[in-house]
Amino acid sequence: MEVNENDMEVGGINIHYFSYTRGSRRNFILLHDISQTSASWAGIDALRKIGQWGYNVYAPDMPGFGKSDSSFQYNFVGAPSKGADFIRDFSEKLYLENVVVVGPSASAGTALKSLIDDKDRIKSAIIIGGLGVDPLMNELNQIDSPVLILWGGKDNMVPVEHGIKYHDLIASSTFVKIDGAGHCVQIEKPDIFFNNVKKFLEQL
């Protein structure tokens, strides 16, 4: 099986995405930060590695990034609800159920809002150095699905204390500090990232 590049229409705009599918009933959506695109996941071979654990894996260029068209209705930067709308519509277009969403940095709010708004479809979330979560502070205690919070011990963009605060508010969360890593744990320490994700998934 190979990682494929695809394009499809979502909400009237073109969305570019990578996919690794194996006919599984479990699905993974990898989001990206505002300084990256879906190619950052392809660069660490994340789709194939996670796919080999028994998942179909999808990594879209978020609207307005990479090769995807811009869309006001899906502009997730600072607006987790718009990002969650995109995840819902993207998932519906691909008939995805039983989804794990990964949200690094600015897409962390999108991942958590998806868990709140679409809990029948989105079963768990993994956030990394979460930016964009502040608009959700009053909603985090609603989450009762499994959440993995990964944070670089040397994150100079968002202090590790933020991750601990989110962990305190989400009773169903697991918090892991990655020593020696900065803001982009998955890029800086990919082996440690994959090990923690695999351990988390085995507990689901």
Side-chain angles (χ1 to χ4, degrees):
M1 274 175 283
E2 295 181 357
V3 174
N4 295 306
E5 286 195 66
N6 319 269
D7 290 273
M8 71 175 178
E9 183 191 323
V10 179
I13 63 169
N14 182 69
I15 295 297
H16 180 81
Y17 66 100
F18 288 92
S19 65
Y20 181 96
T21 56
R22 49 186 302 141
S24 175
R25 298 174 69 176
R26 300 183 297 173
N27 297 285
F28 232 88
I29 297 178
L30 299 167
L31 307 180
H32 60 78
D33 187 12
I34 57 174
S35 63
Q36 298 163 342
T37 67
S38 59
S40 63
W41 290 113
I44 59 171
D45 203 18
L47 288 97
R48 189 181 60 83
K49 287 180 179 176
I50 294 170
Q52 289 177 344
W53 301 338
Y55 290 83
N56 305 315
V57 190
Y58 304 88
D61 280 345
M62 296 294 278
F65 293 84
K67 298 176 182 177
S68 292
D69 294 340
S70 296
S71 168
F72 176 76
Q73 69 170 332
Y74 294 144
N75 183 9
F76 77 101
V77 182
S81 60
K82 291 183 177 182
D85 286 347
F86 170 71
I87 297 303
R88 179 198 64 215
D89 293 348
F90 180 82
S91 298
E92 284 183 352
K93 200 72 185 271
L94 290 169
Y95 303 101
L96 305 185
E97 300 289 341
N98 197 13
V99 178
V100 180
V101 179
V102 181
S105 191
S107 61
T110 289
L112 293 175
K113 185 63 170 168
S114 294
L115 206 54
I116 294 166
D117 287 357
D118 198 9
K119 60 192 308 179
D120 288 342
R121 186 198 326 270
I122 311 300
K123 298 304 183 184
S124 61
I126 299 167
I127 67 169
I128 308 156
L131 268 171
V133 181
D134 287 348
L136 302 178
M137 295 303 282
N138 294 330
E139 298 180 66
L140 294 182
N141 61 4
Q142 298 176 25
I143 296 174
D144 55 10
S145 304
V147 175
L148 175 62
I149 302 170
L150 297 176
W151 223 277
K154 293 184 176 180
D155 191 333
N156 295 321
M157 188 171 293
V158 191
V160 71
E161 288 76 22
H162 286 248
I164 295 170
K165 181 167 63 175
Y166 305 152
H167 174 48
D168 289 342
L169 289 168
I170 303 172
S172 55
S173 67
T174 301
F175 177 82
V176 180
K177 184 177 78 167
I178 310 299
D179 292 329
H183 188 57
C184 298
V185 171
Q186 73 280 15
I187 305 296
E188 298 172 38
K189 304 280 186 180
D191 290 345
I192 296 175
F193 167 75
F194 288 122
N195 287 341
N196 276 283
V197 170
K198 188 175 185 183
K199 181 180 177 183
F200 173 70
L201 295 175
E202 287 170 349
Q203 296 170 351
L204 294 183

